[in-house]
Amino acid sequence: TFVTVLFCKASTQCSTFFFFFPPSHEATIISGTELAKQIHKEVQKDVEAWIALGNQRPHLSVILIGDNPASHSYVKNKTKVAAAVGICSETILRPSSISQEELLDIIGKLNKDSKVSGLLVQLPLPDHIDERTVCNAVAPEKDVDGFHVINIGRLCLDQHSMVPATPAAVWEILKRTGIETFGKNVVVVGRSKNVGLPIAMLLHTDGSHERPGGDATVTIAHRFTPREQLKVHTRLADVVIVAAGIPKLITAEMIKEGAAVIDVGINRIQDPVTRKTKLVGDVDFEEVKRKAGFITPVPGGVGPMTVAMLMKNTVTAAKMLL
């Protein structure tokens, strides 16, 4: 980019200078960590104001089954953030051998416990337990994960509901970063009922409805969409949201110049040099950031925002139960 600057002296003699500013090909990296800190402060103020009115402190109960290291790490982070924003929490540990009946009994007791504002069962569950049955056993008003069929149904009907934390995080990132969705083309790569579907619902629905949407034209793709066909869709997209669980699925050639790329993927791979396990997303971050306008990193992108939105849902649940 050339900029012409004209300097004139009192004698009317003028000199012209040309400055060259190389074009920037680096995307704006969206720090989910920093955005989450903003939400933590908002939630903390909300909790303090709620308690000041004489209400019970919000309480989050988490049921954790088995020894999955990733699940234990996620739960530990959730309870740590809960404490930081003034929410009480407890983690109920049970072995992977627990029967579905036993798990449903625990959920039933927590549903009836008046001190419990929010309740979630950390996924994934052992193979002998039906995930949908368990998610639907949680009382809808305490369902801070937003996985109950009633909450998903209300979401699809543009009604107020408990929005799943990860889709809510993506929505909040777009809004707080000022990324426009009205009339834009959006591609969601991932069709899970807990992430891909709710994200698509939030983005394509009418912004004037009870639960406002993004008014975007949304295309849903997934891991079995042929790569060349996926590329056709993503290259037209103003916003690409990836939640397919495939490392480096999205490369620079698949992205339109200046597009916003939100990486929801969480993949653990082994570094070929250090042999250590590292966390990566579904996007080839180093390549795509040279072409995109905005991009979220992994880690430090959607993850911290997901936990922050879970805290917001817990406070919302506490108010709904009054």
Side-chain angles (χ1 to χ4, degrees):
T1 302
F2 284 93
V3 177
T4 304
V5 181
L6 189 66
F7 290 92
C8 295
K9 298 179 180 179
S11 63
T12 71
Q13 292 180 339
C14 299
S15 300
T16 303
F17 296 87
F18 294 90
F19 293 90
F20 175 71
F21 296 91
S24 173
H25 293 292
E26 289 285 314
T28 297
I29 298 174
I30 304 169
S31 173
T33 301
E34 292 304 314
L35 289 177
K37 288 178 181 177
Q38 295 177 13
I39 297 175
H40 294 169
K41 291 178 181 178
E42 293 166 11
V43 172
Q44 188 174 28
K45 289 181 180 179
D46 204 5
V47 169
E48 290 171 355
W50 179 246
I51 295 171
L53 293 173
N55 297 301
Q56 177 179 280
R57 185 176 294 277
H59 179 102
L60 174 64
S61 291
V62 183
I63 301 175
L64 178 56
I65 308 298
D67 302 315
N68 184 310
S71 292
H72 278 256
S73 177
Y74 296 150
V75 170
K76 182 179 180 180
N77 190 31
K78 290 172 184 177
T79 55
K80 179 181 178 182
V81 174
V85 299
I87 295 174
C88 294
S89 68
E90 64 174 337
T91 302
I92 301 167
L93 295 169
R94 291 296 184 271
S96 57
S97 59
I98 187 174
S99 69
Q100 182 166 299
E101 291 70 25
E102 290 175 295
L103 177 54
L104 293 176
D105 183 60
I106 294 172
I107 293 172
K109 290 176 180 177
L110 293 171
N111 283 339
K112 296 175 183 177
D113 190 339
S114 60
K115 81 172 183 181
V116 176
S117 312
L119 169 59
L120 69 86
V121 182
Q122 183 65 41
L123 304 180
L125 295 170
D127 292 339
H128 67 279
I129 297 177
D130 182 66
E131 181 179 298
R132 178 46 51 198
T133 299
V134 169
C135 289
N136 286 339
V138 177
E141 64 274 15
K142 294 188 177 186
D143 173 35
V144 290
D145 259 341
F147 294 163
H148 193 285
V149 65
I150 289 178
N151 282 321
I152 291 294
R154 290 181 63 84
L155 175 71
C156 292
L157 292 173
D158 304 349
Q159 297 176 352
H160 291 303
S161 67
M162 205 72 78
V163 179
T166 298
V170 172
W171 177 248
E172 201 69 20
I173 286 171
L174 294 173
K175 288 195 297 182
R176 292 188 182 236
T177 310
I179 296 171
E180 185 61 71
T181 60
F182 186 91
K184 301 297 184 180
N185 287 321
V186 175
V187 171
V188 178
V189 188
R191 58 182 176 182
S192 76
K193 301 302 180 284
N194 299 338
V195 181
L197 172 66
I199 287 173
M201 290 298 107
L202 288 170
L203 288 171
H204 94 272
T205 46
D206 197 317
S208 63
H209 283 184
E210 178 183 322
R211 190 270 302 144
D215 287 304
T217 300
V218 177
T219 300
I220 302 177
H222 48 80
R223 62 173 58 225
F224 297 127
T225 303
R227 186 173 179 80
E228 285 306 309
Q229 183 180 332
L230 177 60
K231 181 179 175 181
V232 170
H233 293 302
T234 56
R235 291 186 72 174
L236 293 173
D238 303 294
V239 180
V240 178
I241 300 165
V242 199
I246 302 175
K248 295 188 177 182
L249 173 65
I250 302 299
T251 56
E253 64 172 358
M254 302 171 75
I255 298 297
K256 181 171 74 172
E257 191 83 36
V261 181
I262 310 297
D263 192 350
V264 188
I266 300 176
N267 308 288
R268 285 175 169 77
I269 64 172
Q270 189 178 63
D271 189 296
V273 178
T274 64
R275 314 301 293 177
K276 293 182 178 180
T277 300
K278 66 177 183 178
L279 201 64
V280 299
D282 291 352
V283 175
D284 188 336
F285 181 80
E286 292 302 323
E287 291 299 321
V288 172
K289 76 176 183 179
R290 297 189 178 98
K291 195 172 183 181
F294 293 88
I295 190 169
T296 58
V298 176
V302 176
M305 284 292 287
T306 295
V307 178
M309 297 311 293
L310 177 66
M311 298 304 116
K312 289 197 73 165
N313 281 354
T314 302
V315 177
T316 298
K319 294 178 179 179
M320 289 172 62
L321 289 166
L322 184 65

